């Protein structure tokens, strides 16, 4: 890998090649020797800087460096040629020192010799490079259209086909584990392996693993260089189910030698940087993903600027670097050739940039300014968990999507104009216009925390689902001290939540039932969610009627609590005579692995053999 950085350093210093050849041509033997030594020293210093600081290797940055060395080299050689290697140099220096500028500077006590002129020329060269940079910045800022055009975009006039998860029954559990909760639980589980006190958890990534949405977080070195020298590898990573509020972090023992917290050639970011010539490494560090065999890999998106002067990202022609944490081998893929196990080929930082540019500059730069018409100018909401609090990950049909609501740039408006769903694997942006009255996730969190939250929990991870065909915000409420999950909050997203169309609960089942009842009361439409769980048969052990709206019972040998809703249309009056000893069968669905969780009984399938009428003889 050292040879890669030697090549990178040569590319960076290649601007000195022509000035150095000129220098060798005009100088004497002694100056050639010192010049060669200076070039070697410069190469060594630049090599060390490149190796440890991992500079941006995108072409504009490389060209900037090349121009700086080229111009600076010509300036130095030109000054040496005129004032050092010129036989008439003494006379010319005296003439130049007696010039108007020289006399003016002497009045201020400043004498300009050839060294001063060298410094002045170097400053002039720096100013020239600075001007080029300023021109580039202006063009980048005022010409965002090519970058927006490079986004693979699908615009839909309605939300009918949006990859918005549908909750029809409690078995379809919403994402409940917020990153804060997962991080706290994982840190509390660090004693799962030997010498855990020398390791830490610094970042995590959401992905699909064997059909389930999970969080994966690598164990990293804590304590710096000497800890690394002593252990040389980290023991593995943690994995947690994203949709089970009772899920415990599972430690997977997979020793990894190549990680972002390692040093020298085993630094994951350094190894990927060596393969990123012409591209920018997006994000603060590489992120861990695992294949279906549990083998860990570090993944990083490599973005390419459009041109030297327009340095906005080309969102279509990016690369994905994949590092095997065990062997250290790096492979760089085009977007359409990324391995199947990589669910997040486009890092959240890249997605955040393209969603922001899509919302602001779809109709060009001037349209988004105070001089323009602000036609379709939007901004992403800021209640997410990734990408600068802009994006929230969704799992939909086995794929990871980054979701954000798009709202008006007018701060007085708090309604959703549309939704952006970005496929994290293909980086395709799907935009769906919203024609209804839907509140922003920030407003949903505000309702959850202020109006329905006497315990002063904090709301996070607002996700938009369809329940009964209506868009509904599902907010996870966390304890402010330890980030533990405390409550579900379901809020009808129609923007008029003053009507009380929300529900608070400890589990998905009870919260969904209460929410559907409140929506039915508001709309006048009775919700009849059909229970499609497995068929249960047995003998009734105990019956409890806590109120007029429900009947609870348990079966012999089964500690589940089963519930019949007496307000349901399919409830028959004869069902209320159920008693201990009755033999019954029905369908039921429980959303919690805890056997004490209440399971709803499908009344359209309920049969009580003890009450079955017999034909008269």
């Amino acid at each position: 890998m050292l040879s890669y950085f030697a090549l990178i350093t040569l590319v960076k210093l290649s601007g000195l090649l022509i000035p150095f050849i000129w220098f060798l041509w005009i100088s004497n033997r002694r100056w050639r020797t010192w010049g060669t030594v200076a070039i070697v020293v410069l190469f060594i210093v630049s090599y060390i800087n490149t190796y440890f600081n991992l500079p941006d290797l995108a072409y504009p940055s490389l060209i900037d460096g090349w121009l700086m060395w080229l111009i600076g080299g010509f300036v130095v050689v030109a000054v040496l040629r005129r004032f050092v290697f010129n036989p008439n140099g003494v006379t010319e220096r005296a003439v130049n020192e007696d010039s108007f500028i020289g006399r003016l500077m002497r009045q201020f006590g400043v004498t300009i010799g050839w060294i001063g002129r060298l410094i002045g020329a170097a400053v002039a060269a720096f100013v020239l490079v600075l001007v080029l940079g300023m021109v580039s910045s202006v063009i980048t800022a005022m010409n965002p259209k090519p970058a927006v055009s490079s986004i693979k975009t699908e615009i839909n006039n309605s939300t009918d086909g949006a990859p918005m998860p549908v909750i029809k029954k409690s078995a379809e559990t919403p994402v409940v584990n917020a990153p804060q909760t997962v991080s706290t639980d994982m840190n509390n589980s660090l004693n799962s392996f030997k010498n855990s006190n020398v390791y830490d958890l610094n970042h995590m990534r959401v992905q699909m693993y064997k059909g389930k949405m999970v969080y994966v977080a690598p164990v990293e070195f804590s304590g710096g260089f000497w800890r690394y020298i002593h252990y040389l590898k980290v023991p593995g990573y943690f994995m947690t189910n994203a949709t089970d509020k009772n899920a415990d972090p599972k430690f997977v023992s997979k020793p990894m030698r190549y990680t972002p917290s390692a040093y020298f050639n085993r630094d994951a970011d350094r190894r990927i940087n060596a393969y990123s010539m012409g591209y920018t490494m997006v994000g603060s560090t590489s992120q861990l993903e695992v294949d279906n065999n549990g083998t860990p890999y570090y993944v990083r998106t490599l973005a390419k600027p459009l041109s030297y002067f327009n340095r906005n990202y080309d969102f279509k022609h990016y690369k994905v670097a994949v590092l095997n944490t065990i062997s250290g081998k790096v492979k760089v893929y085009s977007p359409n050739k990324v391995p199947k196990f990589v669910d997040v080929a486009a890092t959240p930082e890249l997605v955040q940039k393209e969603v922001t540019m899509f919302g602001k500059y779809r109709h060009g730069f001037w349209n988004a300014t105070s001089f323009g018409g602000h036609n379709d100018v939007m901004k992403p909401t800021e209640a997410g968990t990734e990408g600068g609090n802009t994006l929230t990950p969704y799992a939909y049909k086995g794929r990871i999507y980054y979701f954000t609501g798009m709202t008006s740039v007018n701060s007085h408006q708090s309604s959703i104009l549309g939704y952006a769903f970005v496929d994290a694997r293909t980086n395709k942006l799907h935009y769906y216009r919203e024609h209804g009255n839907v509140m922003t996730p920030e407003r949903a969190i505000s309702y959850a925390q202020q109006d329905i939250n006497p315990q002063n929990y904090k709301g996070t991870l607002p996700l938009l689902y369809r329940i009964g065909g209506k868009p509904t915000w599902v907010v996870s409420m966390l304890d402010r001290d330890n980030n533990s999950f405390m409550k579900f909050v379901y809020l009808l997203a129609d923007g008029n939540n003053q009507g009380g169309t929300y529900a608070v609960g400890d589990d998905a089942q009870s919260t969904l039932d209460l929410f559907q009842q409140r929506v039915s009361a508001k709309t006048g439409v009775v919700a009849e969610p059909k229970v499609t769980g497995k068929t249960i048969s047995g003998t009734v052990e105990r019956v409890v009627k806590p109120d007029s709206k429900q009947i609870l019972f348990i079966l012999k040998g089964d500690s589940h609590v089963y519930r019949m809703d007496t307000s349901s249309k399919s409830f028959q009056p004869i069902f209320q005579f159920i008693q201990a000893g009755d033999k019954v069968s029905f369908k039921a669905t429980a959303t919690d692995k805890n056997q004490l969780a209440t399971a709803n009984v499908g009344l359209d399938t309920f049969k009580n053999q003890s009450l079955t009428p017999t034909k008269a003889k």
Side-chain angles (χ1 to χ4, degrees):
M1 192 176 76
L2 296 176
S3 59
Y4 281 99
F5 284 98
L7 177 61
I8 292 169
T9 305
L10 286 174
V11 171
K12 289 175 60 179
L13 295 178
S14 61
L16 282 175
L17 180 60
I18 297 177
F20 185 63
I21 293 174
W22 185 27
F23 171 80
L24 294 177
W25 179 264
I26 65 174
S27 61
N28 56 35
R29 182 175 181 180
R30 191 180 69 153
W31 276 93
R32 292 190 193 110
T33 301
W34 284 108
T36 303
V37 170
I39 289 293
V40 171
V41 171
L42 186 61
F43 173 83
I44 294 173
V45 172
S46 181
Y47 180 89
I48 294 173
N49 176 68
T50 302
Y51 182 82
F52 285 103
N53 293 331
L54 304 181
D56 184 9
L57 298 182
Y59 289 123
S61 296
L62 292 175
I63 293 173
D64 280 344
W66 187 86
L67 284 173
M68 184 183 70
W69 290 117
L70 176 69
I71 297 172
F74 270 123
V75 168
V76 171
V77 176
V79 171
L80 289 175
R81 177 180 179 276
R82 182 167 184 178
F83 296 105
V84 178
F85 304 137
N86 187 351
N88 300 318
V90 175
T91 303
E92 290 191 10
R93 284 200 297 273
V95 171
N96 280 278
E97 289 174 2
D98 197 45
S99 64
F100 172 77
I101 296 178
R103 292 194 300 271
L104 179 64
M105 297 303 293
R106 282 200 300 273
Q107 290 180 3
F108 293 95
V110 178
T111 301
I112 301 179
W114 72 273
I115 295 180
R117 295 181 183 280
L118 174 62
I119 295 174
V123 170
F126 175 78
V127 170
L128 176 60
V129 173
L130 186 63
V131 169
L132 288 174
M134 293 175 62
V135 172
S136 173
S137 297
V138 171
I139 293 176
T140 299
M142 298 186 65
N143 189 25
K145 191 67 175 179
V148 177
S149 299
S150 72
I151 302 173
K152 293 183 289 185
T153 308
E154 177 189 78
I155 298 179
N156 302 274
N157 197 39
S158 72
T159 63
D160 293 342
M164 191 183 301
V166 177
I167 298 180
K168 296 181 180 178
K169 55 184 183 296
S170 58
E172 295 159 335
T173 310
V175 175
V176 60
N177 288 328
Q180 304 98 305
T181 304
V182 174
S183 178
T184 300
D185 291 345
M186 287 181 175
N187 277 290
N188 290 337
S189 302
L190 277 176
N191 60 351
S192 303
F193 49 87
K194 186 179 179 181
N195 296 321
S196 60
N197 59 303
V198 303
Y199 300 103
D200 202 355
L201 296 171
N202 294 326
H203 60 273
M204 68 179 67
R205 167 161 283 187
V206 66
Q207 71 167 98
M208 301 300 296
Y209 181 72
K210 295 184 177 179
K212 295 182 179 179
M213 184 176 175
V214 299
Y215 287 101
V216 177
V219 175
E220 299 284 4
F221 290 107
S222 175
F225 177 74
W226 297 111
R227 289 275 177 85
Y228 165 74
I229 291 296
H230 187 79
Y231 293 96
L232 294 178
K233 59 183 178 182
V234 298
Y237 58 87
F238 281 94
M239 181 181 293
T240 301
N241 191 306
T243 61
D244 184 356
K245 68 185 180 69
N246 295 317
D248 292 322
K250 177 185 177 184
F251 176 71
V252 181
S253 179
K254 286 282 186 179
M256 297 182 285
R257 294 183 179 273
Y258 300 88
T259 69
S261 62
Y263 285 81
F264 302 116
N265 287 351
R266 291 185 178 177
D267 183 327
D269 291 328
R270 180 168 292 123
R271 297 191 72 86
I272 291 176
N273 181 265
Y275 289 82
S276 66
M277 181 73 81
Y279 290 82
T280 297
M281 297 193 301
V282 183
S284 59
T285 188
S286 305
Q287 297 288 327
L288 192 75
E289 289 204 36
V290 300
D291 62 16
N292 285 331
N293 296 321
T295 303
Y297 295 82
Y298 272 103
V299 179
R300 195 155 191 184
T301 306
L302 307 178
K304 180 181 180 182
L306 288 165
S307 66
Y308 175 75
F309 285 107
N310 191 338
R311 302 191 182 186
N312 290 306
Y313 287 151
D314 183 342
F315 295 106
K316 184 177 181 180
H317 299 99
Y318 61 95
K319 299 285 186 181
V320 182
V322 180
L323 164 69
N324 187 308
T325 63
I326 299 173
S327 68
K329 188 175 182 179
V330 178
K331 291 186 177 180
V332 179
Y333 299 93
S334 298
N336 58 343
K337 296 183 179 179
V338 176
K340 291 183 178 180
F341 73 85
V342 177
D343 294 296
V344 184
T347 192
E349 290 83 358
L350 182 74
V351 174
Q352 185 268 337
K353 284 182 179 292
E354 70 179 9
V355 168
T356 301
M357 295 192 72
F358 168 81
K360 189 173 183 179
Y361 295 121
R362 263 190 308 150
H363 299 297
F365 171 79
W366 291 110
N367 178 67
T369 68
S370 57
F371 302 101
H374 269 220
N375 180 30
D376 286 336
V377 176
M378 305 172 292
K379 65 178 181 179
T381 54
E382 297 180 352
T385 60
E386 299 189 35
N389 297 327
T390 295
L391 308 171
T392 302
Y394 264 105
Y396 185 79
K397 294 185 178 181
R399 302 293 285 268
I400 296 293
Y401 287 84
Y402 279 110
F403 160 80
T404 185
M406 303 299 290
T407 186
S408 172
V409 293
N410 187 338
S411 60
H412 298 292
Q413 297 184 20
S414 60
S415 59
I416 291 292
L417 301 177
Y419 312 101
F421 290 85
V422 179
D423 189 323
R425 179 174 170 82
T426 65
N427 198 33
K428 185 174 183 178
L429 191 155
H430 304 263
Y431 177 70
Y432 299 87
R433 290 190 178 92
E434 174 59 70
H435 298 286
N437 184 18
V438 176
M439 72 176 83
T440 61
E442 293 95 330
R443 190 177 177 194
I445 290 178
S446 177
Y447 274 124
Q449 292 184 161
Q450 297 176 18
D451 297 347
I452 56 179
N453 184 18
Q455 295 87 357
N456 197 31
Y457 299 143
K458 61 180 178 181
T460 187
L461 201 68
L463 293 170
L464 198 61
Y465 292 84
R466 291 190 191 278
I467 300 179
K470 297 181 178 297
T472 303
W473 287 111
V474 177
V475 181
S476 296
M477 307 300 291
L478 308 183
D479 181 90
R480 290 185 181 272
D481 295 326
N482 55 28
N483 292 318
S484 298
F485 174 82
M486 304 304 295
K487 299 282 186 180
F488 279 109
V489 178
Y490 287 31
L491 304 100
L492 193 64
D494 65 357
N496 297 309
N497 215 59
Q498 297 88 338
T501 45
Y502 62 83
V504 184
D506 298 321
D507 58 75
Q509 172 67 68
S510 62
T511 314
L512 178 62
D513 291 342
L514 179 59
F515 178 75
Q516 290 176 324
Q517 290 174 13
R518 291 192 171 186
V519 171
S520 299
K522 178 179 180 180
T523 61
V525 178
V526 179
E528 288 285 345
K530 185 177 180 181
V531 178
T532 58
K534 63 180 181 179
T535 300
I536 308 294
S537 298
T539 301
V540 177
E541 177 77 17
R542 293 283 190 275
V543 179
V544 177
K545 299 179 181 180
D547 51 53
S548 61
K549 294 183 179 181
Q550 59 182 335
I551 299 174
L552 306 179
F553 63 91
I554 61 174
L555 303 178
K556 290 182 178 180
D558 184 352
S559 58
H560 278 95
V561 178
Y562 296 101
R563 174 182 179 273
M564 286 194 292
D565 183 1
T566 60
S567 63
S568 172
K569 284 184 177 181
S570 56
F571 181 80
Q572 300 179 29
I574 199 171
F575 291 168
Q576 64 186 316
F577 294 102
I578 185 174
Q579 61 184 5
D582 286 352
K583 294 183 177 180
V584 296
S585 64
F586 50 86
K587 286 186 177 181
T589 302
T591 61
D592 203 315
K593 295 181 180 178
N594 181 354
Q595 286 189 324
L596 295 179
T598 302
N600 270 5
V601 174
L603 297 177
D604 55 341
T605 65
F606 184 80
K607 295 179 181 180
N608 187 345
Q609 286 82 358
S610 302
L611 297 176
T612 302
T614 57
K615 293 182 179 180
K617 293 183 179 179

